């Protein structure tokens, strides 16, 4: 789950990381009021769950409360990378001397969290990572020991941070680490962390990703989820306990088990197709769940074929088949469907599906090949 900038910075502040004064607004009038309260130049920042807002024109400075209102009106009517802006953060504007990058994530290859810093922070950090990766200093953190003071100091040295900032920089690194651990985050990032014209270190931007599988123990964080900002199909899938991720291809996949789902996607690719989604309906899926899954898959207009690959262990083949038929009664569709059903009650399942003009396959390879072919209209 992604948190908005204002939510991430609110968490950072609780962990002793300095952030600018400011508040979030849903209307231009509110933005004006906040600018009046702050009594300074402000920055109006679109709150959408994508990066690169600055480059898209979603971050602008305002000198007066009236200007803040006018800019907020404009930003609140924008779409950034397809997402409508519904809120803006109105922050006291900072004069910027230097932009630093600071972030923590998991390094899967090293099987450890890693804290990264760069003197070349700001809106082009992706470019820096690609072309001059040596400008990003990385320090791995032992999850049992946590971030040690000397590690934060090594980062400060690595990015040539002037010595008078080391103490606060260490405090920011520790705060970011503690927030990362306490929230079960998979990313906690400040870009830019700036040295202001007044020689203060302050987090101008904030981004956190929270591990969805840990949300059950963070009800306060779970409540921050912004449903307006998610692909509606993913919201719907979560309601039914389905693991669903939308992708860009045209072959919808309905599979039970994450490993089998990955394998099915690999085989689709092997035979020259592209999956439209990852979907794990889980073990013991009921017919309602199957119906919901099919509705979600078919709501994607790119889908030109659907591949069902179900191994009946706990999940029963006849339940799955009934679910498919239930869904097809609701969702009228001409999209061709290929099924491979094996395991518990597979025979009953196949009989049920025989009435439904389904293309059947014996093996996964055959199913994938048939799905690729029908998606191409062959
Ligand atoms: P992003 O583009 O979505 O990452 O949004 P950021 O919050 O990182 O803002 C992008 C850029 O806008 C920053 O790198 C700064 O250069 C600039 N910016 C953001 N806030 C301020 C501010 O208070 N004052 C000034 N002068 N620039 C700002
Ligand atoms: Mn940023």
């Amino acid at each position: 789950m992604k948190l908005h900038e204002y939510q991430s910075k609110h968490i950072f502040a609780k962990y002793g990381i300095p952030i600018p004064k400011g508040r979030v607004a849903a209307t231009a009038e509110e933005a004006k009021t906040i600018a009046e309260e702050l009594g300074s130049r402000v920055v109006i920042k679109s709150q959408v769950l994508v990066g690169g807002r600055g480059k898209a024109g979603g971050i602008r400075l305002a000198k007066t409360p009236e200007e803040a209102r006018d800019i907020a009106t404009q930003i609140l009517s924008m779409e950034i990378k397809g997402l409508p802006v519904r809120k803006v953060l109105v922050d006291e504007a900072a004069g910027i001397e230097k932009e630093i990058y600071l972030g923590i994530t998991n390094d899967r290859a090293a099987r450890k969290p890693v804290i990264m810093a760069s003197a070349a922070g700001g809106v082009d950090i992706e470019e820096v990572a690609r072309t001059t990766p040596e400008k990003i200093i990385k320090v791995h953190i032992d999850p049992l020991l946590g971030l040690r003071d000397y590690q934060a100091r090594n980062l400060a040295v690595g990015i040539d941070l002037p010595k008078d900032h080391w103490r606060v920089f260490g405090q920011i690194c520790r705060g970011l680490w503690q927030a990362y651990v306490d929230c079960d985050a998979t990313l906690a990032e400040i870009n830019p962390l700036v040295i202001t014209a007044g020689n203060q270190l302050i987090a101008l931007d904030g981004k956190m990703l929270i591990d969805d599988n840990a949300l059950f123990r963070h009800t306060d964080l779970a409540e921050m989820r912004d449903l307006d900002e998610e692909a509606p199909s993913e919201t719907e899938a979560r309601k039914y306990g389905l693991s669903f991720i939308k992708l860009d291809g045209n072959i919808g996949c309905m599979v039970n088990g994450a490993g089998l789902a990955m394998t099915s996607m690999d085989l689709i690719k092997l035979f020259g197709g592209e999956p439209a989604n990852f979907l794990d309906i889980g073990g013991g899926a009921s017919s309602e769940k199957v119906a919901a899954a099919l509705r979600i898959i078919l709501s994607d207009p790119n889908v030109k074929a659907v591949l069902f690959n179900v191994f009946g262990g706990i999940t029963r083949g006849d339940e799955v088949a009934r679910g498919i038929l239930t869904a097809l009664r609701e969702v009228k569709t001409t999209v061709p469907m290929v099924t491979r059903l094996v395991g518990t009650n597979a025979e009953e399942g196949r009989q049920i599906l025989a009435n439904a003009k389904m293309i059947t396959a014996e093996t996964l390879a055959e199913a994938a090949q048939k799905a690729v072919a029908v998606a191409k209209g062959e």
Side-chain angles (χ1 to χ4, degrees):
M1 177 180 98
K2 293 178 186 168
L3 295 185
H4 281 293
E5 174 194 0
Y6 75 93
Q7 297 167 327
S8 304
K9 290 206 298 203
H10 183 72
I11 293 172
F12 292 169
K14 284 201 263 181
Y15 286 88
I17 297 172
I19 62 163
K21 269 194 223 135
R23 268 193 301 127
V24 74
T27 66
E29 280 309 317
E30 264 181 84
K32 176 170 177 258
T33 310
I34 297 168
E36 277 163 357
E37 286 169 16
L38 291 171
S40 67
R41 283 193 335 144
V42 293
V43 56
I44 312 285
K45 312 185 75 177
S46 53
Q47 298 298 290
V48 281
L49 296 174
V50 287
R53 297 165 301 161
K55 286 190 175 169
I59 296 195
R60 288 172 58 193
L61 293 162
K63 291 194 196 68
T64 63
E66 289 70 32
E67 199 183 352
R69 181 193 55 211
D70 295 346
I71 290 177
T73 306
Q74 290 170 29
I75 292 184
L76 283 166
S77 66
M78 281 175 74
E79 261 192 17
I80 298 182
K81 297 180 185 168
L83 295 174
V85 181
R86 294 198 166 87
K87 289 185 197 125
V88 291
L89 176 62
V90 183
D91 265 358
E92 197 168 59
I96 300 178
E97 278 299 317
K98 185 165 181 53
E99 298 194 324
I100 295 164
Y101 173 91
L102 184 67
I104 302 177
T105 188
N106 275 329
D107 182 344
R108 287 167 187 272
R111 302 184 206 161
K112 277 180 188 166
V114 61
I115 183 164
M116 297 170 287
S118 177
V123 295
D124 290 319
I125 192 69
E126 279 84 8
E127 186 62 19
V128 173
R130 205 167 35 246
T131 54
T132 48
E134 69 280 1
K135 287 191 182 162
I136 299 176
I137 312 296
K138 297 182 180 179
V139 174
H140 287 99
I141 302 172
D142 184 316
L144 296 179
L145 296 175
L147 179 73
R148 315 304 294 174
D149 287 351
Y150 77 89
Q151 295 181 307
R153 239 167 6 246
N154 285 349
L155 278 183
V157 172
I159 62 167
D160 285 325
L161 187 72
K163 208 162 180 175
D164 50 329
H165 292 298
W166 284 14
R167 193 186 57 78
V168 178
F169 183 74
Q171 175 189 323
I172 292 171
C173 290
R174 280 193 299 277
L176 196 65
W177 166 247
Q178 209 51 54
Y180 178 85
V181 172
D182 290 352
C183 297
D184 286 310
T186 54
L187 177 77
E189 183 181 85
I190 304 173
N191 185 34
L193 172 67
V194 301
I195 302 179
T196 64
N199 206 30
Q200 303 289 313
L201 265 187
I202 185 164
L204 275 207
D205 193 8
K207 180 173 179 183
M208 286 188 95
L209 300 182
I210 310 294
D211 185 347
D212 281 316
N213 294 317
L215 282 175
F216 73 95
R217 57 183 186 188
H218 298 288
T219 44
D220 51 335
L221 294 177
E223 277 169 14
M224 290 185 184
R225 191 187 287 276
D226 189 343
L227 293 178
D228 290 342
E229 294 272 346
E230 291 196 331
S233 52
E234 295 188 6
T235 311
E236 183 72 6
R238 189 161 348 91
K239 214 165 76 189
Y240 288 95
L242 302 162
S243 308
F244 174 86
I245 297 182
K246 191 181 154 2
L247 300 169
D248 296 329
N250 63 2
I251 301 177
C253 305
M254 173 136 76
V255 187
N256 65 332
L260 194 57
M262 298 295 278
T263 311
S264 306
M265 290 160 65
D266 281 350
L267 281 186
I268 287 171
K269 281 177 168 271
L270 181 67
F271 293 116
E274 286 294 331
N277 65 277
F278 168 92
L279 174 70
D280 172 12
I281 56 172
S286 64
S287 60
E288 295 92 83
K289 216 167 167 180
V290 172
L294 189 57
R295 265 199 315 274
I296 291 164
I297 291 175
L298 292 174
S299 69
D300 177 354
N302 291 337
V303 168
K304 298 286 178 283
V306 179
L307 170 65
F308 294 92
N309 182 24
V310 175
F311 175 81
I314 303 169
T315 309
R316 289 166 31 214
D318 57 322
E319 271 280 330
V320 171
R322 261 190 285 278
I324 294 171
L325 294 192
T326 309
L328 288 178
R329 270 193 296 275
E330 278 173 42
V331 201
K332 297 279 175 273
T333 180
T334 53
V335 172
M337 313 219 169
V338 182
T339 53
R340 174 191 176 237
L341 212 56
V342 287
T344 312
N345 293 5
E347 197 43 51
E348 288 94 318
R350 281 196 215 105
Q351 266 162 24
I352 294 170
L353 291 177
N355 314 322
K357 282 190 279 173
M358 292 264 175
I359 305 164
T360 55
E362 291 291 314
T363 66
L364 175 51
E366 187 194 339
Q369 270 168 306
K370 285 184 170 170
V372 172
V374 292
K376 286 185 179 150
E378 287 167 5

